[in-house]
Amino acid sequence: MADAPAVLSIRNLSVALPEGGDRDYAVQGIALDVKPGETVCLVGESGSGKTVVAHSVIGMLPKALPVVDGKLRFEGRELPPQRSKAYDSLRGLKISLIFQDAVASLDPVQRTGRQLEEILAVHGVARRARFKRALEMLEAVGLPDPARIYRSYPHQLSGGQAQRVVIAGALLLSPKLLIADEPTTALDVTTQAEILGLLARLKKERGASVLFITHDFGIVAEIADRIAVMKDGEIVEFGAANTVLDAPEHPYTRRLLAAARKSAAVRESRSSQPVLEVDDLHLTYRTGGLLSRKSVHAVKGVSLRLEAGRTLAVVGESGSGKSSMARCILRLEAADSGAIRFRGEDITSLTGTRLRALRKKIQFVQQDPYSSINPRQRILSAIAEGPIIHDAPRREAEAKAADLLETTGLSAVAGRRYPHEFSGGQLQRICIARALALEPELLIADEAVSALDVSIQAQILDLFRSLQSKFGFAMVFITHDLRVARSISDDILVMKDGEVVESGLAARVFDAPAHPYTKALLSAAPDIASRRTAEAA
Amino acid sequence: MTAYILAKLFRAAATLLIAVSMVFVFIRFSGDPAAALAPPDAPQEVIDQYAEAMGLNKPLWQQYASYLAGLARGEFGYSIHTGRPALELFLERLPSTLRLGSAALLIALAAGIPLGSFAAINRGTRIDRFAMAFSVFAFAMPNFLFGLCVILGGALIFQVYFGGTDASVLPAALTLGLAAMGSFARFARSSLLETINAPFMRAAEARGVPYMRRLAFHAAPNAAIPLVTLIGLSLGALIAGSVVTEQVFGWPGVGQLLVRSVATRDIATVQFIVLAVACTMVLVNLLVDLLYLVIDPRIRSR
Amino acid sequence: MLKLVRIALGAIFLAAASFAHADERPAIKVAVDNLWPTMDPVIGISTTGARVHSNLFDTLVRRNRWEDPEGTTLVPWLAESWERKSPNVWVIHLRDGVPFHDGHVMDADDVAFSMSEERLWGEKPLAPRGTRYARGIVRVEATGPLTVEIETSTPDPNFIFRLVTPLGFVLPKHYYEEVGTEAFGQMPMGTGPYKLVSFDPSVSVEAVANDDYWGGSVPAKSLTFQIVPEYSTRFAGLVAGEFDVIVSVPADQAEQVRNTSGVKLMEKSIENYPMFAFNTLSTELLPDNPLVDANLRKAMVTAIDRDGIVEALWGDKTFVPAPFNFPEYGQYFDPDRKARFTYDPERSKELLAETGYDGRPLVWHITRGFYPNYEIAAEFMVEQWREVGINVEIKIVDNFSLAYKRPFHMLNMSMSSEFSGDPYRPLWMDWGPLSSRTRASHKTWAPTDRFLELGMKFESAQEFDARNSAYLELVEEWENVTPGMYLWRNVVSYAAREDLDWDPGNSAVTIFDDLYLGSS
Amino acid sequence: MESSRPRIGPPAIPWSIRLSVCFICLFVLFALFGEFLSPYGFRETSMFDRLLPPGSPGYVLGTDARGRDVLVRLAVGAQITLIVAIAGTLIGAVIGSLLGIVAAARRGAVEHVIVAAIDVQASLPIIVVALFVLAMFDNSFTLFLLLVGLTGWEVYARLMRGATLSVKERGYVTAVRALGASPARIYLRHILPNIFNVALVQFTINLPLTVLLETALSFLGLGVQPPLTSLGQIMSEGRDRLLTAWWLTLFPGAVIFFLALSVSLCGDWIRDRLDPTLRSET
């Protein structure tokens, strides 16, 4: 296998960035090959140039990103220049590309079946054969009721189903090379596991090679034959999977791997004084007008207990009700029934000034740092706003804000700038600073690191931990990422469909999950450790 | 889907009822409604008869109820000068207004959408800039000035009369449709641009779908969806514009009837035309909503 | 060249048409600015109605404008002859065998009905606007199949002149009674050269030649009056050959029309004098009206340089009349008589000084676009008034009933001198005790006792000298009061295609029978 | 490529926008001070200087049928047009925006009522309403301003409701709520500044529409009434003399046209540099 000629070989590829960017090249000096039947993982953080490589292979680089150097060969022949018409006969037939957001990559007003048939049509498959082949393919990607899916519109599919349809389309004509650009990032862990399994199976069945683009070392560990690590437009390390994972050479690779492996030290329960108690909480969302009323029972009887200074991780897949529960505790949403007690006081139905006074004690960090700060507000003013609302003198509040900026790892000068001048990681630090400016006793972080790159994630998680030990707040940390949960939590709460399925000390739940769903979650999660144990076994 | 249709129907009915009620309120509270509806130089006795017939001595809610009942029975009042039912006068003019309006809409669509699409496809080029300059021109040109220029130009240069209904509908329809053409072009451009840059367009490209096919089979149907709303919205502008255009071209349509009825203070006719316009607008908007069902599967399965 | 081609094409078309045995007569299309809402020739008295009426109806007597533009001779028409049976009774002998458009032959009953108490001059007449023409009539009676007797309360030597006015239109009694007043106004029928086919007051009147017309051949196969509100559009239609005649060419566009090939301009000075009335009354809506003071009215009249305005607006097309001194009066007309109050700003200021006028705005109601050049002249006048210290505000409204709505200080109007050979109508019928000036809801003055007395004297005088001196005294009294001010003799303008052999004479009435329209 | 964040560079202002801004400024200056360019008053008639062509001694832009100086009338007309356009547009903008924000803020019955009002307004084209109102009342400048002001409020209401609903769900609003801010603070300091642009862009769309509406109403005789004047009215007065006294229609027509053009171009330009996520709410 190692001696077979490469399906794809990239030599010395350089793509320029338009002027005024933070670097001159999108990618520089890329050398990469994919051999028949092989899965090559291109791993790197956002902005590292992975997608540029993928798009250059399929000839879809925009005019603004010209190829300035290098050669791309596919099955021994040189690929046409970017955006050439000649690509029409390669794309879909010889090389396929699938994107992260499957639902968005399907035309919303056409039935999925028609979109599959279109691929066959443009590549010259006879009209009569199309329906059968499309249906077969839908079955091959493991969709439950292919005929129904065939007739469905994209918006009627779940994310996982849509990704299966997209994969069906990509592999319909058995291309030699499949480029998958973060195909599972938008999916839940369990669905992700299924899709990865599916890709592996089809790859084998159809004899395709895969160029898999991801930021997640867990996935890499599970599927890669070879790994190319990208940083700032260059490949810093390229080698066999085991070599890279076990003996990374480049410091950057090491750092990434370390970030992916972190887990929290176990802390014993120190106080018996609960900061937060939730009893049998229910929440139903009602939407629609007079005639199209709809309701979703988002939270069903959740109870929990959190002690001062400790961190409770709430894990679960999307739609499990974890964020809704958080919004109830924050009193951003009014619960239908149940009780929320903060330091023994029932806060379930506080209103007006008493509610506003309570807000000082319970603070909030959200998922998307970009949208979490008013774009028209200077950073310092955003951080100082909380204390000012709670009647602190402006000068004092701003001095405190400047302090917090430094505490969270930014310079005090940054306070004069506007949000758009910061990166995601920096903005999340600012959000944390803003939350802490009120010296809360409880901090609720809702997917607070999900939008960030792995190395940044690690930094922010470290920040949370150090701030927690400094200020002593209790924390509810909501995440879908088990690795993140493991790295930060003392206690854990697993949610599914609005209900708590399992809770307890983090170490206990991770090591000996009791509930089948927890077990399924843990086994679905791609993990570097699990690969090694699997191989060792 | 049923809920969607029901909701839209309910909303249309409510809108119509409010519009009708507003007309009622307006007439009742603008001085003496009987004097307004009676002939302008009618003696007091006649006005009193009108007041009696309209039930002005009854409590307001009874008047309102009988007004609604009258509308439901199709009693829309009589033109004071000709003594003919307002409905009849309206219906007589309707065909020529429809002819003008539909031709204008057609011109606006047939010229505006290709223009906008062409601009979108050639975004940033000279073609784009020219198309957009033209669309702004079409929008900024005062309707009647353009119409008068067209008419005088036709007569003095080509010896052809562009007014009235006997001649070709084209000049009048062009005048009426010009502004709508401009907005269609701009809207088509932005709508198509948004679609062209949508992820599914890149995905289709990655599947090997050729450029023209992507445009025709994927971009166009998706870009058309928001355009449907614009057609509904532009109807109001077309109705308003037709008042002026009919006046300029001596076009014997509803717009001219309205202007003349206002000049002669023929309130019954004016009132009916206002109701008819509101009704048309509501119906068209309802149709637009229902059309969404046909063209947008996302709404169908709601 | 183009013209040649058009003529050639026209010839081919005509040839083709005659080959198909089609009607070779032209179809005449007239573009008008407006139409009256009803075609009843009395209810629809107006410039816009009169244009149409005479094509559908005939009057008992006509004025001859086809040979003399001023129309100074009377021509028997539906009335073959007439005689004065006694000072107060006139007998009219009707023409025999005149069919209405439905074939029904006109007889004395139709005439008696047309001038009846029921229709025109009773308590609640069907056509109330005819009252002023029918003043003094006490009896209208069919005394034979073709004879009608009319009795007036006082002797009226000029009674026959009234039969050229809308009073003289003959309507079919049977049809009128069958359909009623309103429907008749929408679908009228007469004996005229054209039969109505359709009428829509906001679109057009369409009529076709009445081939059974008693008065001879009808020169056009059809006649259409179509509303085209915009002048530019009418003009374009004329140039392009869509219309044969257009009305209301703005005075300052005359040059442009004249310079356009294929088109001719006709400017006609007509027997109508635009003016305005002072509201001399204090009413509930207008308490302490300053115009009650005659000195203020005279101050206003003397402040205006009418000759200058007319010169600026009309050039030499028209003139400023001295009150009631109109050329149409024949021997009563005195070219040397001047108005008592003419342009004299000094005098105006003196007169103004004698009033208690406090500078408050005087509101002048003007109907939009009704009399050519009126609004422009009004603005000039407002400026001239301002110079002497009188503040006038113009309020332009859409129609006359709005103009009549009180309160107002001044009202636009016009006085027709309407041909009767003497000043009877304009002076006495239009300003006397039965006129709308004094009786209608929009009345503007109450005749003085002296005016009434002189009026009676005038009315009863039978001989010229007595009548003339009474007339002069009456005018003097009118000027003493100055209840209004005359502006100029009205000028109407038509444009027509150059080869159309048609001339309406000095009249706002357009007739397209074979006397006016050549059959070329 | 992977980053969805737009790069912020120094904005390059195209020449068309520079020209447009210049024209708008010139127009405003002309409206404010143009009167002083002419020795005549705008109502000052001159019986013997009627319909003089541009360039006649004493009359740079000629005279109209009443012998009034076209230059000074254009200036006063521009003034009134500007007042009508700005006041008219502002009335609609303020009322509409407030209602839209209230609808989004209060939801429930209040929202239903406002949305119904929007629907009703949207089903009645303004010229038809204007004709109807005129048939019932005498027209006056106040009524006229009110009518013009009412045009388009429903568009503001619809847009602002959408924008408010969208901004309300933004993370920063939630964050500020969680900080304990009062609703007044949230709306005034965090929501309003972020939806203001939407209203601003609509303003640039509405302003030319209002100017054109004024023109159309003047044509129908429903606009500004003499002795006051406006660009539309000057144009309307000159329309019978299109061939002979072209300057009466050409000058005001050109001013209206370029004003509408400039404002539209600026509006497009502003919209293009706006937060794109707010646009989808239209």
Side-chain angles (χ1 to χ4, degrees), chain A residues 91 104-105 107 110 118 155, chain B residues 205 207 213 217-218 222 301:
Chain A
R91 294 175 189 149
S105 22
D107 185 339
Q110 285 190 22
E118 182 180 41
H155 70 276
Chain B
E205 187 181 1
R207 287 178 212 131
R213 194 187 162 98
F217 286 78
H218 299 289
N222 278 284
S301 54

Side-chain angles (χ1 to χ4, degrees), chain B residues 250-282:
Chain B
W251 190 277
V254 177
Q256 233 191 75
L257 179 68
L258 177 62
V259 171
R260 277 192 48 93
S261 302
V262 169
T264 56
R265 298 299 188 267
D266 189 342
I267 303 295
T269 311
V270 175
Q271 170 193 305
F272 180 75
I273 294 175
V274 171
L275 291 180
V277 166
C279 198
T280 313
M281 295 288 294
V282 167

Side-chain angles (χ1 to χ4, degrees), chain C residues 187-207:
Chain C
M187 199 64 201
M189 182 206 290
T191 59
Y194 296 92
K195 284 194 277 197
L196 190 91
V197 177
S198 75
F199 169 48
D200 183 329
S202 63
V203 181
S204 65
V205 174
E206 283 174 38

Side-chain angles (χ1 to χ4, degrees), chain B residues 40-41 45 79-84 89 92-93 148 151-152 154-157 159-167 246-250 252-253 256-257 260 262-265, chain C residues 2 6 29 33-38 124 129 182-183 186 199-203 226-230 232-243 256 260 398-399 401-402:
Chain B
D41 38 10
E45 307 93 76
S79 157
I80 43 167
H81 296 297
T82 62
R84 296 174 55 203
L89 291 177
E92 267 170 26
R93 301 313 182 299
L148 287 176
I151 281 202
L152 285 173
L156 295 173
I157 300 167
Q159 311 278 308
V160 183
Y161 178 56
F162 282 154
T165 44
D166 292 338
E246 287 183 7
Q247 191 77 357
V248 170
F249 282 82
Q256 233 191 75
L257 179 68
R260 277 192 48 93
V262 169
T264 56
R265 298 299 188 267
Chain C
L2 253 176
R6 273 208 294 161
K29 262 184 131 174
D33 48 356
N34 219 333
L35 285 172
W36 204 256
T38 168
K124 282 194 171 176
R129 300 184 67 190
E182 265 180 4
Q186 296 306 303
F199 169 48
D200 183 329
S202 63
V203 181
Q226 191 182 323
I227 297 185
V228 181
E230 286 301 298
S232 296
T233 312
R234 289 198 294 274
F235 176 66
L238 178 68
V239 171
E242 174 76 12
F243 303 125
Q256 155 75 18
T260 308
D398 284 335
N399 59 38
S401 33
L402 294 172

Side-chain angles (χ1 to χ4, degrees), chain A residues 55 58 60 88 91-92 97 99 104-110 114-115 118-119 122-123 153 155-156 290-292, chain B residues 3 6-7 10 199-200 202-203 205-211 213 217-218 221-222 225 295 297-298 300-302:
Chain A
H55 283 194
I58 202 158
M60 278 172 56
D88 284 347
R91 294 175 189 149
L97 172 62
F99 296 90
S105 22
L106 293 168
D107 185 339
V109 300
Q110 285 190 22
R114 253 196 83 189
Q115 301 191 47
E118 182 180 41
I119 302 170
V122 298
H123 293 295
Y153 287 98
H155 70 276
Q156 294 167 317
L290 282 172
L291 294 155
S292 50
Chain B
L6 280 177
F10 176 76
F200 67 84
R202 293 191 67 77
E205 187 181 1
R207 287 178 212 131
V209 181
Y211 180 66
R213 194 187 162 98
F217 286 78
H218 299 289
N222 278 284
I225 293 172
I295 60 174
R298 283 163 292 192
R300 219 177 306 156
S301 54
R302 228 195 251 164

